[in-house]
Amino acid sequence: GLGLTAFLGLKVDGHSREVSQQVEQALTAIPAVVACWLVTGDDDFMVEVAVRDLADYERVLLDQILAIPAVTTAHTTFAIRTVLSHGPVPLTHWR
């Protein structure tokens, strides 16, 4: 029933370990967040969310993600369809 995948680039106010930990804790507490990365470049975090539809996405964005005090900007890219997804590389890959 989770028909919509969105990737969010988030910018945060303040670049410290404390701010990063606060944002990480808040994001990992949101059930719709299926993956989260601390990144370099224009964004500070890249977040993948899986939701039912646009209305569900709006609720997650406005009520949960943008409610995190340090988050100042969010921009979203929606997945149209999955072309390839192998998932995590198995640990045996590195032998």
Side-chain angles (χ1 to χ4, degrees), residues 12-83:
V12 299
D13 185 26
H15 294 97
S16 69
R17 185 171 301 280
E18 181 181 346
V19 168
S20 179
Q21 289 173 341
Q22 290 170 355
V23 173
E24 290 169 25
Q25 287 177 339
L27 289 171
T28 57
I30 299 171
V33 173
V34 296
C36 178
W37 300 269
L38 180 67
V39 296
T40 63
D42 291 335
D43 298 315
D44 299 308
F45 288 89
M46 183 63 61
V47 179
E48 179 182 359
V49 299
V51 293
R52 289 186 302 272
D53 52 28
L54 277 174
D56 196 25
Y57 173 74
E58 180 182 22
R59 183 190 57 76
V60 170
L61 177 66
L62 297 178
D63 297 343
Q64 297 177 321
I65 294 174
L66 291 177
I68 300 169
V71 174
T72 59
T73 305
H75 64 90
T76 307
T77 301
F78 291 102
I80 296 171
R81 67 180 166 93
T82 300
V83 175

